[in-house]
Amino acid sequence: MDVVENGPDSPVTLEREGTDAMLLRTKLSPGQAILVQETYDPAWQAWSNGQRLPLHADAMGFMVVGAPPGEDQIRLAFVMPFENRVGWVLTGISLLLLMALAAKAMRPRKP
């Protein structure tokens, strides 16, 4: 933990862009990586200068970004997985069907 708490003098500024994205600005030396204390999920992706950067979990489950040395601006974004999109569509269809059934049940019946 000493490396995390008292690591090299390489300050990183983090700017949140909502709940699903953040912008990091840093200057890294060779062999350094960026530890982001956000829970790792495979849906998180990192880019710098239009190129995708490697991203993996550390021993505590936080994200580690493998960025090249030098001054860099890195964008992290949580890209919604395909399964989540399918879930949203199925939920929407289910709600529409339930509303249609409820509307049909509320209509007065003719004798």
Side-chain angles (χ1 to χ4, degrees):
M1 277 320 252
D2 189 51
V3 171
V4 173
E5 294 175 3
N6 301 310
D9 189 22
S10 299
V12 176
T13 60
L14 183 142
E15 181 182 324
R16 288 248 177 214
E17 297 175 344
T19 58
D20 296 341
M22 58 186 95
L23 188 64
L24 308 172
R25 291 181 183 90
T26 185
K27 184 177 181 181
L28 295 177
S29 299
Q32 289 183 323
I34 301 171
L35 171 67
V36 181
Q37 291 183 333
E38 178 88 28
T39 304
Y40 173 80
D41 187 284
W44 279 102
Q45 296 180 12
W47 297 273
S48 177
N49 297 321
Q51 291 188 321
R52 197 149 165 214
L53 300 176
L55 192 65
H56 65 275
D58 74 347
M60 299 296 290
F62 293 129
M63 294 188 287
V64 176
V65 182
E71 264 187 68
D72 223 347
Q73 184 169 310
I74 299 164
R75 185 165 194 283
L76 286 165
F78 185 84
V79 179
M80 187 181 295
F82 177 73
E83 295 85 1
N84 290 32
R85 292 178 191 187
V86 170
W88 279 101
V89 169
L90 292 176
T91 300
I93 291 170
S94 299
L95 289 173
L96 289 173
L97 286 172
L98 283 173
M99 289 190 311
L101 289 172
K104 184 177 180 181
M106 296 173 109
R107 273 191 268 163
R109 296 183 185 194
K110 295 183 182 179

